[in-house]
Amino acid sequence: MVVNQQARPASRGQRSALALIGVSRVACGSLFGTAMALYIGEQGSPFEVTLAYAAFSFGLFVFAPVWGAIADITGRRRAILIGTAFLSTLAVVPLTVSASVPLQIACRGLFAVFTAGFQSVILTIVSESGGESERGRSIGFYSSARSTGAISGRLFVGYLVGLLVPTDLYLVVVGLGLVATLLTLRIADPTPPSEETLTTGRLLGEVRGRLLPGGARRELFDRTGLGWLYVGIVLRNMTEKGFISVVPVFLVADVGLSNVVMGAVLAVSPAVRVVSMYGFGRLSDSIGRKKLIVGGLAGSGIQALVVVLALVPDGQLARIGISSTAFVVHAVTFSMLTVGTIAFVADVAPVDRESELMGLRSTPAVSAAFSDRFSSACSPPGSTTPRRSSAPASSRSSPPGWSGGRSPRASHPSEPLHAVQPSDTLVNAYHAARCRSSR
């Protein structure tokens, strides 16, 4: 088993390249996902809009452990990063010729197949590029760059949708994807290469063992509380993703915002995350990861309460202010959960399982697929997707005999996450109320 010896933070050139990849890659994905939601909403039904999101979530769920196994066994993370960036771009190319609803949904799912590998590997490289002492800072810096990309994608999508036909807009998405692919050529992988040979039988066995862990694999989940963390993320995503998928409709149809104002309100969250991601990244290096994770999970329920309060006042400005406040809460809690989770996984993961465990952060997103389908089914009769709107898209301590992890970090006492309790029932209550009112 290979133990990572990376101790020093990455060079400025490496950090700059990672930041540019974060901006371009997420701008590409944000533009792709938001434009597709608009196009499908205009051509099809709300159910088909959420079906496209479900296809994306399912692709992440199925293929994250596959790519994680390939990366961990071969140790060729840089090659996988370049390959998945290029292949995910190719997945969009058919839409530059035809943009029918079934083809858009299929391409969205295929895009997710390769995005799953890209996400798993890039997060591993980012966490290791920070070294043991600045892991949280490195993750926060990269996540802040991703938020900048999300803002760019959402700001330009409204303009491009009005200017270009769908096939031309998807050509822009392909161009952004190629830029991100070229930037990955500048990345150096700080983890050592593996000498092991990858065979089909070995790959299938590793994937099966990672999807259904047992023995030493399961012991890691139990000892560190990592299993409970994934359970918390599943429960959070079952409500959070459904909330995000219907909130544009809620802001327009119920709160009474115009499409332009609704788009500006949705842009509040990524704008705040540009600062909060980096800030919480640095904070996690000082206070540990658990407090951020607990705060992020609990805050998911608070944001739902705040956005529902936008229905209380009669004044338009008051409703805009409350809705914007809800997305400030969303940005802060999302930043806490994202930075805390990625840093914690990197803290406790053995080198030969780090890509796998990073990929498992994406597999709870499968709960979002069912949540989105439920949200669509609960939409009031006659509701439609708004046109031309922005649809949002601690250290460890090793027990005796344990040799699978890396060296403990004295600055972060090992803290199992058994106490993490997500509180997202408010969003479910809101959806249930909407269902009852539509009958």
Side-chain angles (χ1 to χ4, degrees):
M1 181 172 294
V2 179
V3 177
N4 189 3
Q5 300 299 324
Q6 171 75 8
R8 293 179 298 176
S11 65
R12 179 177 299 179
Q14 174 92 337
R15 290 196 300 268
S16 299
L18 288 171
L20 290 173
I21 289 172
V23 171
S24 58
R25 180 75 187 182
V26 175
C28 171
S30 179
L31 180 61
F32 182 37
T34 305
M36 179 173 290
L38 293 171
Y39 290 144
I40 295 179
E42 293 174 350
Q43 301 172 38
S45 65
F47 174 79
E48 289 171 316
V49 174
T50 56
L51 185 61
Y53 193 96
F56 181 78
S57 299
F58 188 74
L60 295 180
F61 167 72
V62 172
F63 286 92
V66 176
W67 289 112
I70 295 173
D72 291 336
I73 294 172
T74 64
R76 300 180 183 277
R77 293 190 174 95
R78 182 174 180 272
I80 293 172
L81 185 72
I82 297 170
T84 52
F86 180 67
L87 291 173
S88 62
T89 301
L90 285 185
V92 187
V93 170
L95 297 179
T96 64
V97 178
S98 173
S100 65
V101 171
L103 182 60
Q104 289 183 83
I105 295 174
C107 288
R108 186 66 170 158
L110 185 60
F111 180 81
V113 169
F114 301 111
T115 298
F118 183 89
Q119 288 181 350
S120 300
V121 175
I122 193 68
L123 289 175
T124 301
I125 293 175
V126 167
S127 67
E128 293 306 322
S129 294
E132 290 289 336
S133 62
E134 297 184 2
R135 174 170 289 131
R137 179 180 181 180
S138 178
I139 293 169
F141 182 70
Y142 175 75
S143 299
S144 177
R146 284 173 53 87
S147 298
T148 302
I151 295 172
S152 303
R154 288 172 182 170
L155 286 177
F156 282 106
V157 69
Y159 173 74
L160 293 176
V161 165
L163 180 66
L164 304 174
V165 297
T167 52
D168 289 345
L169 187 142
Y170 287 131
L171 189 60
V172 174
V173 173
V174 171
L176 284 173
L178 290 176
V179 170
T181 302
L182 292 174
L183 287 169
T184 59
L185 298 174
R186 298 183 55 190
I187 296 299
D189 183 8
T191 54
S194 172
E195 302 298 330
E196 299 185 57
T197 302
L198 178 64
T199 63
T200 302
R202 173 77 186 281
L203 175 61
L204 293 176
E206 286 286 337
V207 172
R208 184 167 52 250
R210 291 162 193 243
L211 288 175
L212 302 171
R217 290 184 185 276
R218 179 170 293 179
E219 191 272 342
L220 176 64
F221 289 94
D222 295 337
R223 177 175 57 83
T224 63
L226 195 57
W228 288 106
L229 173 59
Y230 289 140
V231 169
I233 294 176
V234 167
L235 296 177
R236 180 256 184 193
N237 283 354
M238 288 180 69
T239 51
E240 168 72 12
K241 299 302 183 181
F243 165 78
I244 289 297
S245 70
V246 299
V247 76
V249 180
F250 171 77
L251 291 175
V252 172
D254 295 285
V255 181
L257 306 184
S258 67
N259 286 344
V260 173
V261 174
M262 180 270 294
V265 168
L266 295 180
V268 168
S269 180
V272 174
R273 293 202 305 264
V274 171
V275 177
S276 61
M277 285 286 190
Y278 182 72
F280 283 120
R282 299 199 66 167
L283 184 63
S284 72
D285 288 329
S286 302
I287 68 172
R289 328 299 190 191
K290 180 178 176 179
K291 294 177 182 177
L292 298 183
I293 294 171
V294 173
L297 288 172
S300 298
I302 296 175
Q303 70 184 21
L305 175 62
V306 175
V307 78
V308 171
L309 289 177
L311 296 173
V312 175
D314 295 327
Q316 184 79 349
L317 288 179
R319 290 192 168 199
I320 293 173
I322 294 175
S323 300
S324 300
T325 301
F327 282 94
V328 171
V329 176
H330 174 270
V332 171
T333 56
F334 181 78
S335 299
M336 295 171 70
L337 181 61
T338 299
V339 171
T341 299
I342 295 174
F344 181 80
V345 171
D347 286 341
V348 302
V351 175
D352 62 351
R353 293 186 64 189
E354 188 167 359
S355 295
E356 168 207 352
L357 297 175
M358 287 294 183
L360 282 175
R361 282 187 62 256
S362 300
T363 62
V366 73
S367 59
F370 298 102
S371 179
D372 287 335
R373 297 288 289 276
F374 174 72
S375 300
S376 174
C378 290
S379 297
S383 65
T384 60
T385 302
R387 297 171 64 90
R388 302 292 186 257
S389 63
S390 297
S394 35
S395 62
R396 48 221 127 156
S397 59
S398 300
W402 172 256
S403 61
R406 287 171 285 184
S407 57
R409 296 176 59 196
S411 60
H412 297 293
S414 179
E415 247 184 331
L417 297 174
H418 302 103
V420 175
Q421 296 292 336
S423 59
D424 283 326
T425 55
L426 288 169
V427 187
N428 273 339
Y430 168 69
H431 287 323
R434 296 277 294 190
C435 286
R436 290 193 296 270
S437 67
S438 66
R439 292 173 182 170

